[in-house]
Amino acid sequence: MSLTEFTCIQCPIGCPLQLTHEGREIVEVKGYSCKRGDKYARQEFVDPRRSLSTTIRIDGALWGRLPVKISGPIPKDKVLDAAKTIHQLRARAPVERGQILLENILGFDGIHVVACREMAKTG
Ligand code: SF4
């Protein structure tokens, strides 16, 4: 049996998690203070995923940057590619909160780049 350790990132407490496995088969998870930690360790071992929030340029608004995020987590090893793709986007005001700015990022079905806030057109 092998041990893989994680730090839970589901809340600021950051519980240290220990996942015991036989090859790719999970035997048990220890160290969590709530069920979210158990779920996180199992997901992290099988298919680690991350969310992504950043900003892009926007024209015609009071501010020059628009906060955006992806609408769901993607595989951890694709986050950098996603960030590069997002940073090539440029929005134009007006923008609604939740507005889709790019559909199916990197081909992930149903994972869109969305605006995190509304930005009115100026002038
Ligand atoms: S296991 Fe629960 S309490 Fe511990 S860091 Fe994760 S979410 Fe927070």
Side-chain angles (χ1 to χ4, degrees):
M1 279 204 279
S2 304
L3 181 72
T4 302
E5 296 181 299
F6 303 104
T7 299
C8 183
I9 59 171
Q10 298 301 298
C11 89
I13 294 172
C15 294
L17 308 173
Q18 302 89 41
L19 183 146
T20 307
H21 55 99
E22 294 243 26
R24 299 306 298 167
E25 187 175 333
I26 298 169
V27 176
E28 67 174 343
V29 178
K30 290 181 177 176
Y32 54 86
S33 299
C34 71
K35 286 184 177 178
R36 288 165 63 197
D38 180 53
K39 187 178 173 189
Y40 169 76
R42 291 173 188 275
Q43 175 75 41
E44 190 71 0
F45 184 69
V46 173
D47 178 21
R49 291 188 168 242
R50 293 290 182 275
S51 298
L52 175 61
S53 298
T54 183
T55 61
I56 63 170
R57 294 187 68 176
I58 182 167
D59 297 318
L62 182 60
W63 313 106
R65 307 287 300 179
L66 173 69
V68 300
K69 67 177 183 178
I70 55 175
S71 58
I74 60 173
K76 187 178 172 183
D77 63 357
K78 297 294 181 191
V79 169
L80 195 57
D81 290 342
K84 287 178 184 169
T85 299
I86 291 170
H87 289 149
Q88 290 172 3
L89 297 174
R90 193 167 183 146
R92 170 157 287 282
V95 170
E96 297 294 325
R97 183 167 184 232
Q99 182 176 325
I100 295 175
L101 304 165
L102 178 67
E103 292 186 336
N104 305 320
I105 187 166
L106 302 178
F108 292 108
D109 196 25
I111 306 291
H112 311 309
V113 179
V114 298
C116 294
R117 59 162 292 179
E118 165 187 325
M119 277 207 190
K121 186 177 178 183
T122 54

